[in-house]
Amino acid sequence: MASDHCGYAAEEKPDQDFAHAGNGLPGLDALLPLLLDGVLSGGWLTAADLVRLTAAGPAEAFGLPDKGAVAVGRHADLVVVDPGATTVLAAHPPGPASAASPYAGRRLSGAVQHVVRRGTVLVRDGAPVAGPDAGGRPARRQVPAW
């Protein structure tokens, strides 16, 4: 599972000139809500798949032995969701070069309520309460060139 967040300013995505528009679209902020919706309403993804694709698999691929699972000795990295809530995706994703989102206004089942990284609360009741570097950055092994 991967997300290539690639935001562009409006002038870089001309309405009538698809062949010359920059490739990609904003969407990193939509990855977890879209996958969570797949678990809760679409049935095309299981909760175990969601954990494997967004936590366990990336931790293994990037050599992060303290990440990817809730277990004694691992970092306290947690995302708490409310399966009964609804998320409505923003028309203009965060970021200086994000003109618009193809997911704008889409209503999804479930909502992220709390995010904890290394024991530090980053999001509480759906709102950020700490900066992006709170909780530190993980050390990782060198990933081999493909």
Side-chain angles (χ1 to χ4, degrees):
M1 179 61 57
S3 175
D4 177 21
H5 176 84
C6 197
Y8 285 93
E11 60 272 9
E12 295 174 294
K13 290 283 210 178
D15 290 338
Q16 303 300 320
D17 192 7
F18 178 77
H20 294 95
N23 295 321
L25 53 99
L28 183 60
D29 58 307
L31 177 67
L32 184 57
L34 287 165
L35 293 176
L36 181 59
D37 183 71
V39 171
L40 296 173
S41 66
W44 56 269
L45 191 67
T46 68
D49 289 336
L50 178 64
V51 170
R52 179 177 48 82
L53 293 169
T54 61
E60 181 180 343
F62 289 103
L64 301 169
D66 296 327
K67 306 286 184 188
V70 177
V72 174
R74 301 269 183 122
H75 292 162
D77 295 338
L78 305 167
V79 175
V80 179
V81 300
D82 179 352
T86 299
T87 296
V88 179
L89 296 178
H92 298 284
S98 296
S101 169
Y103 307 114
R106 186 164 174 186
R107 298 180 64 80
L108 304 172
S109 298
V112 173
Q113 294 299 304
H114 310 291
V115 176
V116 179
R117 181 173 57 205
R118 296 183 109 179
T120 299
V121 177
L122 303 180
V123 174
R124 180 177 288 123
D125 298 323
V129 295
D133 289 326
R137 299 278 181 188
R140 66 178 180 89
R141 69 171 166 79
Q142 183 66 35
V143 177
W146 301 69

